[in-house]
Amino acid sequence: MDTRQGQGRADGGPRTRVCVVGASGKLGRYMVQHALDRDYEVVGVCREKSVGKLAEFADRITVVAGPTDDREVIGRAVAGCDAVLTVLVPWGVHGYSSGTAQAVLDLAPEGARLVFSCGWHITRDGRDVYSRGFRASVKVVSVLARLVRAIDIDDQVEACRRIFDSDARWTVVRGSDLEEGEGEGLPVWSRHVGDPVLASNITRRTDFALFMVEAVTDDALVHEAPAIVGCRTPSALAHARTSRPHGSQETR
């Protein structure tokens, strides 16, 4: 199913066209809203059974329904897009995350900004420092989830490996624990988990989505895997030092 809405800016000028892959989830819906707030033309991809979750945006976005690892679905959705924002969800044990990532990498227009979301457990260069408790919790969740064939964290790792090896204009945003609530502003970030700025380990979900959308126009984040935390958390207020474009921050 493909529901399309007429898109056009009041002054007739071109609009930035953004695809949100995984648009019906909580993070995806926040990304849709932030993109619309910027007057972007939005295409949302979600499973057929989840289309109803996008009802509040029905007259403002295009919806392409189908599995996000379906190359035909992704090909239709990303056509003509300037950016693709992808929620890497490790559903099942059949390569859902890696299939989704590969489809986006292969089928997005050349030069498009590709922004992916995942958790802190993903590491790009092996220099992240995790607490013993964090490592144990990831291991337990991974084992239990695979036993019930619910999610496959290892496949999300594989998806990010493919992204990191790509020459595309990618960013992988690594989120801390998430909470609901009013937005507090653009999260701060570091290249490595273990940086004191990240110690609070909490971000408002709407602010995670904001960081994803802001990354579309932040070339400083190309080929980066920023680990983020809420900008009003105690660790961010105590340790954030170096201002970055669009209000994000990094400590080195």
Side-chain angles (χ1 to χ4, degrees):
M1 185 180 76
D2 187 342
T3 62
R4 296 194 174 269
Q5 303 294 330
Q7 304 285 343
R9 205 169 70 182
D11 62 7
R15 301 172 71 192
T16 298
R17 183 177 174 90
V18 172
C19 179
V20 179
V21 179
S24 62
K26 290 181 180 180
L27 181 62
R29 294 198 299 273
Y30 281 127
M31 286 195 286
V32 169
Q33 185 60 65
H34 287 309
L36 290 172
D37 289 344
R38 285 153 181 75
D39 195 34
Y40 290 166
E41 180 181 354
V42 178
V43 180
V45 182
C46 68
R47 292 176 294 176
E48 188 101 33
K49 66 181 182 180
S50 299
V51 170
K53 296 180 181 180
L54 296 171
E56 64 184 298
F57 307 114
D59 60 343
R60 294 184 288 164
I61 72 172
T62 295
V63 178
V64 178
T68 66
D69 63 343
D70 185 313
R71 294 177 66 86
E72 192 276 332
V73 169
I74 293 297
R76 284 191 288 121
V78 303
C81 286
D82 301 291
V84 183
L85 309 176
T86 303
V87 181
L88 287 177
V89 180
W91 294 129
V93 290
H94 302 290
Y96 198 77
S97 282
S98 57
T100 298
Q102 195 65 60
V104 170
L105 291 169
D106 290 345
L107 301 172
E110 185 176 358
R113 279 292 278 123
L114 308 182
V115 185
F116 300 86
S117 73
C118 65
W120 276 3
H121 62 285
I122 298 296
T123 183
R124 181 184 179 190
D125 58 13
R127 295 172 59 192
D128 297 278
V129 178
Y130 301 107
S131 69
R132 185 175 302 173
F134 182 90
R135 293 195 304 270
S137 65
V138 170
K139 184 174 182 179
V140 168
V141 169
S142 179
V143 171
L144 293 179
R146 282 189 62 84
L147 285 175
V148 298
R149 304 180 72 81
I151 63 174
D152 185 356
I153 292 178
D154 288 341
D155 184 56
Q156 195 177 64
V157 174
E158 169 61 18
C160 289
R161 183 194 65 76
R162 298 184 188 188
I163 296 165
F164 296 150
D165 287 345
S166 169
D167 292 329
R169 299 180 66 241
W170 55 262
T171 300
V172 175
V173 183
R174 301 183 292 152
S176 65
D177 290 346
L178 299 177
E179 66 177 359
E180 296 296 335
E182 293 294 324
E184 297 180 322
L186 202 63
V188 299
W189 66 277
S190 174
R191 285 193 174 96
H192 297 107
V193 176
D195 188 322
V197 74
L198 302 174
S200 294
N201 187 24
I202 196 71
T203 309
R204 298 282 169 91
R205 187 174 274 105
T206 185
D207 294 333
F208 188 171
L210 178 65
F211 195 98
M212 296 280 290
V213 174
E214 287 287 334
V216 169
T217 55
D218 190 348
D219 287 344
L221 290 173
V222 173
H223 295 168
E224 291 279 8
I228 65 172
V229 74
C231 66
R232 302 301 300 170
T233 59
S235 64
L237 293 174
H239 297 288
R241 295 185 294 272
T242 307
S243 296
R244 302 287 294 172
H246 304 295
S248 62
Q249 296 181 316
E250 176 193 21
T251 61
R252 297 178 183 267

